[in-house]
Amino acid sequence: MTGLAAIDEKRLETFAAPFSGTLLRPGDDRYEEARRIHNGVINKHPALIARCAGAADVTSAIKFAGAHQLLTAVRGGGHSLSGQSVCDGGLTIDLSPMAGIRIDAIARTARIEPGVLLGQFDREAQAFGLATTAGTISHTGAAGLTLGGGFGRIGRKYGLACDNLTAVDLVTADGRFVKASAADNPDLFWGLRGGGGNFGVATSFEYRLHSVGPTLFGGALVYPFAGARELLRSFADFEAHAPDELYVDVLLPTTPDQQRVVLLDVCYCGPLADGERAVAPLRNLGKPLHDGLGPVPYVELQRSGDAGNPHGRGYYIKSGYLHGMPREVIDVTVDYLERSPLDTSVIAFAHLGGAISRVRPGATAYWHRAATRDVVVIGFWDEHSGAERSTQWVRGIWTRLEPLTTGFYVNTGIADDTQHRIHAAYGDNYPRLAALKKRYDPVNLFRLNANIKPA
Ligand SMILES: Cc1cc2nc3c(=O)[nH]c(=O)nc-3n(C[C@H](O)[C@H](O)[C@H](O)COP(=O)(O)OP(=O)(O)OC[C@H]3O[C@@H](n4cnc5c(N)ncnc54)[C@H](O)[C@@H]3O)c2cc1C
């Protein structure tokens, strides 16, 4: 793989002449801003950023990358925590200008372009009282999230984002434009639902939508950390019988006034009165410091975590799947936090299960259907000096938690993931994915992801 230095200006000009979007090189006005992504610790310098205006630009960028064997990154919403949507010295195909959304309120479907952020998607769909599963932070990109699976507040009721996908337009590594759906290239469609960005660049996504809200019962319920062990054990008993409509993320953060707390981020996807009844046991887990549960617009719930995950901060994470919240996991977590300084870190247990678990693991590329929690350990820092300490802190707990997990979510993969971990992420689907990769990307042009090696 080469950088642009090896490419003569004439060939670059031939590529640039018909390009409708913007091509940015080091020194150009908007280059600095365009090379940055959500995780501020990622500081890569692509030789060229191709900000695409449409599928034609995407096709010529892929052909250009292929012809010159350029290291190639693909950027949707820029939320890759491991920084794989930007590269050093190669080409970044930036899809952020492609942000069109069309909702068909009669057919209850949506078609979106790959630069759309979840907040934009939710806002458009909610104008018609509709939604499909999206993640919990509204500035995440829909493209990367969906291709890797995609879970969030209504996922237990309606399945993963990729379970609601009905068609994808894709440009493959050799610059071919293909459609993938149940009827067209069904094998590819299977791989795109959980296989991440391994098979090409998606230029359009079609989804099934559902009636949601627009007001749901939910919000934040906050308990002091002091009784965390008992509280989490009682919670684990409760969640084992939770209805599909109920989604409860468990977070163990430190508040701005320096208190460690247990925060339950709740959403009930159904009638308000049912929601109030379903969450009643959560209100009796202890004496809350704050009870913010009540009727709230779904779009507001979907934005409620945004401020806590600002752009530009340094982040370092580890994650893995769990089946419920086993006692050992609770003990390791509480023990570690009890001995940790009160600073920049959070441990979160995202809620899966329900409809997600009722799909067969081999039915789509997303393998870990039986998992009902994704535990994510996040270290973050605003000043560079905090990086080493936060990273060590995350690694410290991860040596104890990782053996209790099974595989990990490809969308939270890290750049130095070993092949062994990658295999575990795709489970028994790996051989089929590797065969598909050989068909659609035999040279592994799209390698900056939880990478599937061509069979
Ligand atoms: C703050 C935060 C909160 C999150 N919350 C959730 C959550 O609630 N639920 C959840 O499921 N995940 C969550 N995630 C993980 C998220 O799903 C991934 O980070 C995902 O990759 C984001 O997609 P993106 O388009 O923003 O990323 P990008 O950084 O733009 O892309 C990530 C990767 O996706 C691939 N990709 C992106 N667009 C395309 C495309 N059009 N065609 C082909 N490949 C493409 C590429 O391989 C790229 O490297 C969260 C991440 C963060 C940082």
Side-chain angles (χ1 to χ4, degrees):
M1 295 278 163
T2 59
L4 271 189
I7 295 162
D8 62 60
E9 287 295 323
K10 196 156 174 45
R11 286 182 168 185
L12 190 57
E13 275 169 29
T14 312
F15 167 53
F19 198 83
S20 318
T22 317
L23 293 174
L24 298 172
R25 298 178 75 181
D28 288 343
D29 270 359
R30 287 163 48 220
Y31 174 85
E32 279 306 310
E33 176 203 331
R35 75 181 181 86
R36 288 295 188 168
I37 59 171
H38 173 70
N39 187 352
V41 83
I42 306 300
N43 185 21
K44 296 186 187 169
H45 294 80
L48 183 67
I49 301 174
R51 306 198 86 179
C52 299
D57 281 353
V58 173
T59 305
S60 46
I62 291 175
K63 286 184 175 164
F64 182 70
H68 301 288
Q69 294 189 304
L70 295 175
L71 179 64
T72 303
V74 180
R75 177 196 173 126
H79 258 219
S80 164
L81 283 165
S82 55
Q84 289 177 314
S85 46
V86 64
C87 55
D88 263 328
L91 171 71
T92 292
I93 299 178
D94 181 355
L95 305 159
S96 54
M98 296 170 63
I101 303 177
R102 180 175 188 265
I103 305 295
D104 182 334
I106 310 292
R108 296 184 169 210
T109 58
R111 175 193 272 260
I112 68 161
E113 288 190 299
V116 166
L117 304 182
L118 300 180
Q120 299 165 331
F121 190 2
D122 280 334
R123 178 171 152 72
E124 291 300 320
Q126 279 286 275
F128 305 96
L130 299 170
T132 198
T133 303
T136 53
I137 305 296
S138 83
H139 46 72
T140 308
L145 177 127
T146 302
L147 293 169
F151 43 79
R153 292 186 174 90
I154 59 174
R156 288 168 49 76
K157 173 86 176 152
Y158 295 119
L160 297 168
C162 74
D163 295 334
N164 289 286
L165 200 57
T166 52
V168 180
D169 289 347
L170 185 95
V171 185
T172 59
D174 56 3
R176 261 183 315 133
F177 182 82
V178 292
K179 181 174 176 185
S181 68
D184 303 288
N185 301 301
D187 248 25
L188 176 61
F189 187 52
W190 174 87
L192 292 172
R193 287 173 291 159
N198 272 286
F199 305 107
V201 179
T203 55
S204 167
F205 296 81
E206 285 176 43
Y207 300 86
R208 198 176 299 121
L209 301 176
H210 310 273
S211 282
V212 172
T215 299
L216 297 180
F217 199 88
L221 186 59
V222 184
Y223 286 102
F225 183 74
R229 197 180 308 265
E230 281 315 312
L231 187 145
L232 292 175
R233 284 180 183 173
S234 307
F235 175 80
D237 294 340
F238 164 80
E239 71 148 16
H241 307 286
D244 289 357
E245 287 78 6
L246 186 61
Y247 174 91
V248 187
D249 264 0
V250 179
L251 297 108
L252 302 165
T254 300
T255 58
D257 60 345
Q258 295 299 297
Q259 286 189 73
R260 176 123 36 221
V261 295
V262 179
L263 189 156
L264 305 181
D265 180 3
V266 179
C267 175
Y268 185 88
C269 180
L272 293 173
D274 293 357
E276 185 152 21
R277 257 193 308 279
V279 306
L282 297 176
R283 288 176 145 152
N284 296 324
L285 288 171
K287 190 166 179 294
L289 291 170
H290 167 75
D291 183 340
L293 299 182
V296 52
Y298 176 63
V299 284
E300 205 174 293
L301 272 181
Q302 287 288 78
R303 286 196 300 259
S304 58
D306 289 7
N309 291 277
H311 286 309
R313 223 178 216 180
Y315 294 94
Y316 182 77
I317 74 160
K318 295 279 188 188
S319 76
Y321 287 119
L322 296 170
H323 296 87
M325 292 187 57
R327 207 163 252 236
E328 213 181 337
V329 169
I330 294 173
D331 286 343
V332 165
T333 305
V334 173
D335 288 348
Y336 195 76
L337 287 173
E338 278 174 349
R339 289 183 285 105
S340 298
L342 261 186
D343 61 5
T344 45
S345 56
V346 57
I347 299 177
F349 297 86
H351 208 176
L352 305 165
I356 298 169
S357 298
R358 287 194 291 275
V359 176
R360 263 189 319 106
T364 68
Y366 182 93
W367 176 254
H368 289 279
R369 295 283 177 177
T372 59
R373 290 274 166 193
D374 181 34
V375 55
V376 189
V377 183
I378 310 163
F380 53 89
W381 55 92
D382 291 309
E383 301 297 330
H384 184 69
S385 56
E388 179 62 21
R389 204 164 64 97
S390 257
T391 304
Q392 290 311 330
W393 183 89
V394 172
R395 289 185 177 144
I397 184 163
W398 197 244
T399 55
R400 278 157 246 194
L401 275 182
E402 187 179 12
L404 307 175
T405 63
T406 312
F408 73 97
Y409 179 33
V410 297
N411 274 353
T412 51
I414 57 165
D416 57 359
D417 274 324
T418 58
Q419 205 51 32
H420 169 73
R421 259 177 62 82
I422 302 255
H423 274 258
Y426 295 112
D428 290 358
N429 281 336
Y430 193 87
R432 186 172 170 190
L433 285 164
L436 206 58
K437 177 79 173 172
K438 189 177 175 198
R439 249 173 70 206
Y440 287 97
D441 183 15
V443 298
N444 206 1
L445 180 68
F446 304 111
R447 65 178 57 199
L448 296 177
N449 42 46
N451 195 229
I452 298 159
K453 304 271 181 273

